[in-house]
Amino acid sequence: MNEEALRNLVSTIIKPLISKPDVMTITLTESTTTVSCVVSVDATDLGKLIGYGGTTIHAIRELIFSAHLSAGKKVYIEIEALKK
């Protein structure tokens, strides 16, 4: 799975969950063994993405990891609030 496909997958999963999808940004950093994906969303959407006890973000991470498993790289997903 290439960088653009991973970006589209993350966007497809997260956009329906947040109230301000137009301000969401996705930054990918790739090394030889890992891919770091930083998703920046509006501060009001952080709770929606984390979910009660982290269940939502855990499910998102599992989906991304499973989809990207064939590429042979571990994917790390981080969620952060956009800086104003």
Side-chain angles (χ1 to χ4, degrees), residues 12-55:
T12 301
I13 292 171
I14 292 179
K15 275 190 177 182
L17 300 175
I18 58 179
S19 59
K20 297 179 183 176
D22 52 320
V23 299
M24 179 182 79
T25 61
I26 299 171
T27 307
L28 297 176
T29 307
E30 193 168 351
S31 73
T32 56
T33 58
T34 63
V35 178
S36 176
C37 180
V38 179
V39 181
S40 301
V41 297
D42 190 71
T44 59
D45 289 326
L46 278 178
K48 294 175 189 173
L49 283 180
I50 294 170
Y52 184 75
T55 55

Side-chain angles (χ1 to χ4, degrees), residues 1 5-6 9-10 13 35 57-77:
M1 180 179 280
L6 179 59
L9 178 63
V10 171
I13 292 171
V35 178
I57 189 61
H58 180 70
I60 292 169
R61 285 180 175 145
E62 287 294 320
L63 281 170
I64 302 299
F65 177 75
S66 297
H68 204 62
L69 192 58
S70 63
K73 293 185 178 186
K74 184 154 178 135
V75 179
Y76 294 98
I77 304 278

